[in-house]
Amino acid sequence: NTGFYKETLSSFAGRLNYSLLDKYLFTFTGRYDGASKLAVGHKWTFFPSAAFAWKASDETFMQDVDWLSNLKVRLSYGESGNQNGVNAYDSLALLGESDYVYGNTVTNGVGVTRLSNYELTWERSKEVNFGIDLSVINNRLKLGLELYNKKTVDAILDRTLSNISGYGGAVGNYGSVRNKGVEI
């Protein structure tokens, strides 16, 4: 019996920023993440994001507004992943010692103590943000408004199984949750 386990996590990321006339700002980001503890064929996933910002206060039609120091409008979409909640080898069936009766003798054997999950993959969060940044009176007063909508799909959870199945539970992508709101 040993408690040794091995797990690895690798990530590759790239980002592209582009500014047009220093008023229209674009950002594109991509991550390619891999986790050894997820199921074969589901270890690697790509997570994209994109953002746009418009410095409206830099437009010529806004130059005569003396009280306005800054007005920026932002819109973004992004995805991120999570593999926490999964232990090494959770996607694989686990064998354990199991005693059984053979004739009149109790003897040692091996049985399946945990079910495999060949679909165990990344938990994925998808978020859309809309924001407005406003500064007035020579940047003495700054206001921000943020609207967000985040949905997490394929949430990694432990599921309790009926005792009749012979197993106590299973780890898998069983849940989803949505968070949305306003920040001022």
Side-chain angles (χ1 to χ4, degrees), residues 36-49:
S36 65
K37 54 190 178 178
L38 299 172
V40 173
H42 299 282
K43 295 180 185 300
W44 289 92
T45 298
F46 180 72
F47 300 105
S49 71

Side-chain angles (χ1 to χ4, degrees), residues 14-20 24-30 49-52:
R15 182 175 182 166
L16 175 67
N17 291 320
Y18 181 73
S19 174
L20 180 63
Y24 311 102
L25 310 172
F26 300 89
T27 301
F28 302 97
T29 305
S49 71
F52 169 73

Side-chain angles (χ1 to χ4, degrees), residues 35-152:
S36 65
K37 54 190 178 178
L38 299 172
V40 173
H42 299 282
K43 295 180 185 300
W44 289 92
T45 298
F46 180 72
F47 300 105
S49 71
F52 169 73
W54 172 41
K55 293 182 183 178
S57 55
D58 289 353
E59 295 288 350
T60 55
F61 63 86
M62 297 291 282
Q63 296 303 312
D64 294 333
V65 183
D66 295 333
W67 56 270
L68 182 65
S69 305
N70 181 44
L71 176 61
K72 183 192 279 186
V73 179
R74 298 176 282 108
L75 179 65
S76 65
Y77 171 81
E79 296 183 12
S80 61
N82 178 26
Q83 41 78 43
N84 293 328
V86 177
N87 295 316
Y89 319 118
D90 270 355
S91 67
L92 304 174
L94 183 65
L95 298 177
E97 186 177 311
S98 178
D99 294 336
Y100 66 97
V101 177
Y102 183 72
N104 292 330
T105 307
V106 175
T107 187
N108 293 334
V110 175
V112 177
T113 60
R114 183 180 67 214
L115 295 172
S116 61
N117 182 346
Y118 298 118
E119 300 297 318
L120 186 60
T121 188
W122 286 88
E123 178 177 300
R124 183 181 292 265
S125 293
K126 303 172 182 185
E127 185 168 359
V128 176
N129 284 15
F130 174 76
I132 298 175
D133 299 321
L134 175 70
S135 298
V136 295
I137 314 168
N138 291 328
N139 290 316
R140 289 187 180 144
L141 179 61
K142 296 181 180 183
L143 303 170
L145 172 68
E146 191 87 24
L147 305 170
Y148 63 92
N149 187 349
K150 178 180 179 181
K151 184 170 185 181
T152 300

